[in-house]
Amino acid sequence: MSADPSSGFAGETPVPSAGSHQRSAAAHAARASATSAVEVRRSTRRRRTVSAYREGDRTIVLIPARMSEAEERRWVGVMLDKLAAQENKRVLGDTELVERAGRLSAQYFDGRARPVSVRWVTNQNTRWGSCTPAEGSIRLSHRLQGMPEYVIDYVLLHELAHLLVPGHGPGFWRLLEAYPRTERARGYLEGVVAADRLPHLPAAREE
């Protein structure tokens, strides 16, 4: 699975700026933690980066001033996911990955996808995961470690689907439609790619 979708995450999107203001967003549930208020702060000085941090029982999300409402909603969700992932750094071992793949296959593919091995690798920097159907082997990039579990599950399902359908034709995507968080996970990964490609500006909390 290529690590090259598009769009933004935890950082950068080229947006022109205009007047700075602050707005409170709706309450969001941080993963595996209590619900906290989210405050979105817009700044004319912030052009390419999005950042977030906890402040007491609130989450502060800093964005460029002229980001659209839709972009704001998307980035708030992405940044909450990122913070939650940072706060819950438990890394699944290879044995747990095998067990997780088995549960996912049973839940979404009627157990038809049966990998022989599932493991983390450190030599995949342009792919999130890969599959060799002839060997029944699945490999996940170590860069996924620490990301939200629903993202890891999506990548696992993506590679499990390749045990059943080669390529990325309509039949392949129909399999993944069974997973309700497919689009959300793809958006998250697309954002990671965009953030890596764009220049990073210093994250200034006072903005």
Side-chain angles (χ1 to χ4, degrees):
M1 176 183 177
S2 171
D4 193 14
S6 57
S7 274
F9 160 52
E12 305 74 27
T13 234
V15 182
S17 55
S20 182
H21 68 279
Q22 298 181 3
R23 187 174 358 62
S24 290
H28 290 261
R31 273 180 70 81
S33 67
T35 298
S36 61
V38 177
E39 180 182 323
V40 177
R41 296 179 182 176
R42 292 174 175 256
S43 171
T44 56
R45 291 187 295 167
R46 182 172 290 270
R47 295 177 182 273
R48 295 183 177 178
T49 61
V50 174
S51 61
Y53 60 93
R54 306 290 192 199
E55 188 177 84
D57 62 354
R58 295 183 303 162
T59 300
I60 310 300
V61 181
L62 309 174
I63 65 175
R66 290 190 62 187
M67 184 173 282
S68 71
E69 295 289 328
E71 288 174 320
E72 175 185 319
R73 288 192 298 271
R74 179 184 176 216
W75 281 90
V76 167
V78 167
M79 297 309 292
L80 287 176
D81 279 345
K82 183 184 180 187
L83 284 174
Q86 290 173 343
E87 292 163 358
N88 181 17
K89 284 289 189 181
R90 188 176 79 86
V91 175
L92 299 172
D94 288 351
T95 299
E96 291 175 297
L97 281 181
V98 173
E99 294 172 351
R100 198 176 194 91
R103 289 196 299 271
L104 290 169
S105 177
Q107 183 175 358
Y108 296 104
F109 301 152
D110 298 322
R112 292 180 294 131
R114 300 175 182 174
V116 174
S117 66
V118 186
R119 60 191 175 90
W120 296 108
V121 293
T122 58
N123 61 351
Q124 289 192 157
N125 294 317
T126 60
R127 291 174 174 269
W128 296 118
S130 61
C131 173
T132 306
E135 300 174 357
S137 61
I138 290 174
R139 297 162 296 281
L140 299 189
S141 171
H142 71 289
R143 294 187 304 145
L144 289 165
Q145 293 174 347
M147 290 189 187
E149 289 185 357
Y150 76 87
V151 176
I152 296 173
D153 284 352
Y154 166 72
V155 177
L156 269 174
L157 280 166
H158 185 110
E159 304 310 331
L160 285 167
H162 278 310
L163 293 177
L164 303 174
V165 179
H168 294 97
F172 175 86
W173 293 111
R174 277 195 296 272
L175 283 175
L176 286 183
E177 285 175 0
Y179 183 56
R181 291 188 167 186
T182 287
E183 290 306 314
R184 185 180 179 193
R186 282 178 60 81
Y188 187 101
L189 294 172
E190 287 168 357
V192 173
V193 172
D196 285 344
R197 286 179 170 177
L198 292 166
H200 291 255
L201 299 180
R205 288 167 65 114
E206 65 274 10
E207 293 183 7

